[in-house]
Amino acid sequence: MKLNCRNAFSDLPYENGNEIPDALPMNIISGGCHLYGYLLKPDSRYDAPHPTAIVFHGFPGYTTNNDLEYALMRMGCVVVHINHRGAWGSEGHYLFTNLIDDAVAIAKWAHNPAITSQYGIDPDNIFLVGHSMGGMTVLNAAKHLPFIKGVAAIAPYDLAAAFEHGMEKELFTMIEIEGQCLKITSASDVFENAQNNYHTLSLYETYNHLKNQHVLIVSAEHDTVAPPKFMNRPLAERLQSQSDCGTFQYHSIKTNHSFGGSRIELSYIIGNWIEELYAK
């Protein structure tokens, strides 16, 4: 068995200990800093090498995607979750520009032949998945990772849209209040990092490299943190009209930014998308 999205929310019987899925601690270097997280391995009934999803958290990461990660593992994926610099115990300081560098370092680590062999990763089927600021991260990081099979952004946050649509105050408040759990020099420094770099991190401009890739965007209709009208739909509409060799899917769910009431639907959307692309 290679992949089966129908198993995403099913507990399968295990005859012996060798079949049971596993969670392994991870320590990856980015920018000279140790980033900590974990790797989920599917059970031994799935044939290696496995399609692999690298899942990136948002700002600061209170809305976890552990349920999505375990669902992807149960359907047969290796799943990698690493916390960014300055977040949740990882070394270094949190900056928006560091997010892209971290994502590139983690993806290149997962694509390294020594790592693919050790963990049963299929180097031709590595997917980036990110929620909120993690969505911004994966859409931008894909530019530097030509080997990636697909990019999935869940309610991606667009720093450029925040500045262009008068949401600077909300952004600063988010950094100042929600970012208290992060290792930062000051909220002002993180805000200035966004202010000085939002043009290069614009989601709308990622079209130039995403038009040739497989892309999935999932929006939340009642999202007040990353309003789809400003932060998701402009890129989605541009990708929907593309004429290049990439593929694009857009889903909108009647929920809010955390997808709190629609986690199973979200997991099936991501899982089915991976399964479809894996079959190609």
Side-chain angles (χ1 to χ4, degrees), residues 104-120:
V104 171
I106 295 164
K108 287 183 176 179
W109 170 88
H111 193 250
N112 183 298
I115 299 301
T116 60
S117 175
Q118 182 177 357
Y119 296 108

Side-chain angles (χ1 to χ4, degrees), residues 13-274:
Y14 299 104
E15 299 298 330
N16 58 68
N18 293 330
E19 292 182 341
I20 301 173
D22 206 357
L24 307 173
M26 291 288 115
N27 179 350
I28 298 173
I29 303 293
S30 175
C33 298
H34 291 270
L35 310 185
Y36 303 112
Y38 52 83
L39 180 146
L40 305 179
K41 290 189 68 176
D43 74 55
S44 61
R45 281 170 292 196
Y46 290 101
D47 301 324
H50 308 285
T52 297
I54 308 175
V55 183
F56 294 90
H57 62 79
F59 182 94
Y62 289 127
T63 301
T64 67
N65 291 291
N66 305 88
D67 56 339
L68 168 62
E69 293 166 351
Y70 273 90
L72 295 177
M73 179 200 72
R74 284 191 294 270
M75 66 176 270
C77 294
V78 167
V79 180
V80 179
H81 176 112
I82 303 294
N83 298 309
H84 286 287
R85 269 178 272 182
W88 308 108
S90 290
E91 293 180 346
H93 288 81
Y94 187 98
L95 289 172
F96 295 116
T97 47
N98 285 347
L99 302 180
I100 315 303
D101 294 340
D102 290 348
V104 171
I106 295 164
K108 287 183 176 179
W109 170 88
H111 193 250
N112 183 298
I115 299 301
T116 60
S117 175
Q118 182 177 357
Y119 296 108
I121 292 171
D122 183 347
D124 296 322
N125 284 279
I126 296 176
F127 300 83
L128 303 183
V129 181
H131 172 248
S132 191
M133 206 67 75
M136 182 276 292
T137 299
V138 298
L139 291 172
N140 277 281
K143 178 180 181 180
H144 309 285
L145 301 166
F147 58 82
I148 290 299
K149 183 67 171 281
V151 186
I154 306 163
Y157 190 95
D158 189 352
L159 289 170
F163 284 96
E164 292 166 1
H165 292 278
M167 297 177 65
E168 300 98 321
K169 183 177 179 180
E170 290 87 343
L171 175 61
F172 185 82
T173 300
M174 180 175 72
I175 295 169
E176 187 176 41
I177 303 301
E178 296 183 28
Q180 292 183 48
C181 62
L182 299 173
K183 185 178 180 182
I184 60 176
T185 52
S186 70
S188 295
D189 283 346
V190 177
F191 180 82
E192 287 175 9
N193 179 252
Q195 191 173 38
N196 293 334
N197 294 281
Y198 73 83
H199 291 292
T200 60
L201 298 176
S202 166
L203 296 194
Y204 189 73
E205 298 304 326
T206 61
Y207 167 81
N208 295 317
H209 61 266
L210 294 175
K211 62 185 178 181
N212 295 314
Q213 299 191 358
H214 301 300
V215 181
L216 167 67
I217 294 178
V218 185
S219 289
E221 288 188 22
H222 304 292
D223 193 341
T224 58
V225 177
K229 179 180 179 180
F230 302 135
M231 297 199 177
N232 301 174
R233 290 178 193 155
L235 173 62
E237 290 169 359
R238 198 174 186 190
L239 286 168
Q240 282 172 333
S241 62
Q242 67 184 341
S243 59
D244 292 81
C245 60
T247 62
F248 176 65
Q249 288 188 31
Y250 180 78
H251 295 264
S252 182
I253 300 177
K254 295 182 184 297
T255 187
N256 59 17
H257 189 66
S258 70
F259 290 78
S262 305
R263 302 295 304 182
I264 294 176
E265 181 179 0
L266 173 65
S267 298
Y268 275 124
I269 288 173
I270 303 292
N272 280 316
W273 174 74
I274 290 176

Side-chain angles (χ1 to χ4, degrees), residues 1 3-12 14 43 45-46 70-76 268 275:
M1 181 166 56
L3 204 63
N4 192 340
C5 190
R6 288 173 294 180
N7 292 339
F9 287 94
S10 299
D11 285 332
L12 303 177
Y14 299 104
D43 74 55
R45 281 170 292 196
Y46 290 101
Y70 273 90
L72 295 177
M73 179 200 72
R74 284 191 294 270
M75 66 176 270
Y268 275 124
E275 190 169 32

